[in-house]
Structure formats: structure tokens, C-alpha cells
Amino acid sequence: MTNVAIPNEILEEMPETVSLTGQRAETIAADIVDMQQSWAMNVQADVMHLTQSGIGIAEANTVDLEQGGAVRIEAQTVSLHQSGAGFVAAERAEIQDSYIGLIAAGEVSGEATILFDLRAAIVFGFVTGLVSGLLGLLFGRKR
């Protein structure tokens, strides 16, 4: 995994720091994003600190999520503490008392409940496709 590529036209207009407390935002692009009890749909940043917050899509070099939730996180380093995430792609993930649906990471440390890692997801997809294909052959329409 490499650093997240943020287009130059966005970088030129990015504020240095965005802080939200008890607010909602559709899209945020900044060097540093600090959110407390807030929600954002799309966030691009170098560093994100999220406390009791929710995020749809996070793209960053570093994401620290404390007692929050995310749909998708793509980052070099991810730290989840008492949080949940649907999908995490990271070079390094530190997870404490958290839940993750699918994780693709080079290095994972800590304690978590992970529904699928990358290997399990590939096997699941293969088996599901195979079973669907066989059922289609057996019970498909006859012409």
C-alpha cells in the first residue's frame, strides 16, 4: 500500500486543519481532521483523529478512530479503539476491542472481531460464485 494520492488541485485548496464538534459534513479535505461527536461522508486528509464520530469514506495516511464507526478506511496506519468499521485497507492496523467486517492489512496487532480477512473474503467469493453457478445450471430456465 502506498500513500493516498490526493489530486494537486485539492491539495492547493486544502485548509491546514478542520475541527468538528457535534457537526455534520458532506466532504472534508484538509491536512489534519479532528472530529468529536460528528459525522462526515467523505474525508481526505493526511491525519485524522476521530472521537465518538462516524465517517463514510476515510482516505488518509493516518486514521485514529476512538469509540466511533466507519464504512471504509484506506490509510497507511489505522488505529481503532472500541470502534467498528466495514472495510479497512492499511499497511499497518492497531485494533483494540473493535469490530471489522473485512480487513486487508500488511500488519495487524491488538484484539478485534474480524468477520473476514482478505484470504477469507477471496475463498468466500469463490465458493459463493461456484455455488451460484451450479444452482444456475441445475435450476436455470430450460429453453
Side-chain angles (χ1 to χ4, degrees), residues 67-85:
Q67 296 179 344
V71 175
R72 185 179 89 200
I73 300 173
E74 295 181 28
Q76 282 288 98
T77 304
V78 174
S79 296
L80 298 178
H81 303 278
Q82 297 178 343
S83 297

Side-chain angles (χ1 to χ4, degrees), residues 20-38:
L20 298 177
T21 301
Q23 296 176 319
R24 293 184 206 169
E26 184 70 28
T27 301
I28 300 171
D31 291 330
I32 299 170
V33 173
D34 182 25
M35 294 172 46
Q36 295 185 11
Q37 297 179 341
S38 297

Side-chain angles (χ1 to χ4, degrees), residues 7 11 21 28 34 40 52 58 60 64 69 73 97 101 106 108 123 131:
L11 282 173
T21 301
I28 300 171
D34 182 25
Q52 295 178 340
D64 182 20
I73 300 173
D97 301 321
V108 179
V123 170
V131 169

Side-chain angles (χ1 to χ4, degrees), residues 85-86 98-103 112-118 120-121 124:
S98 297
Y99 293 88
I100 298 173
L102 171 63
I103 188 166
T113 300
I114 298 172
L115 185 58
F116 287 109
D117 63 4
L118 189 55
F124 178 78

Side-chain angles (χ1 to χ4, degrees), residues 3-140:
N3 287 345
V4 174
I6 299 172
N8 286 337
E9 59 271 7
I10 293 175
L11 282 173
E12 292 170 1
E13 299 176 17
M14 283 176 40
E16 202 167 289
T17 302
V18 171
S19 295
L20 298 177
T21 301
Q23 296 176 319
R24 293 184 206 169
E26 184 70 28
T27 301
I28 300 171
D31 291 330
I32 299 170
V33 173
D34 182 25
M35 294 172 46
Q36 295 185 11
Q37 297 179 341
S38 297
W39 166 256
M41 191 60 186
N42 297 299
V43 180
Q44 291 181 328
D46 184 40
V47 177
M48 290 184 209
H49 300 286
L50 311 166
T51 305
Q52 295 178 340
S53 295
I55 194 162
I57 300 169
E59 297 176 346
N61 288 320
T62 302
V63 174
D64 182 20
L65 181 59
E66 178 84 29
Q67 296 179 344
V71 175
R72 185 179 89 200
I73 300 173
E74 295 181 28
Q76 282 288 98
T77 304
V78 174
S79 296
L80 298 178
H81 303 278
Q82 297 178 343
S83 297
F87 174 72
V88 174
E91 193 64 36
R92 187 170 144 320
E94 177 191 315
I95 304 162
Q96 294 299 321
D97 301 321
S98 297
Y99 293 88
I100 298 173
L102 171 63
I103 188 166
E107 177 185 335
V108 179
S109 64
E111 298 177 22
T113 300
I114 298 172
L115 185 58
F116 287 109
D117 63 4
L118 189 55
R119 189 178 344 220
I122 291 170
V123 170
F124 178 78
F126 176 76
V127 171
T128 301
L130 184 63
V131 169
S132 295
L134 290 173
L135 289 174
L137 287 173
L138 291 173
F139 300 106

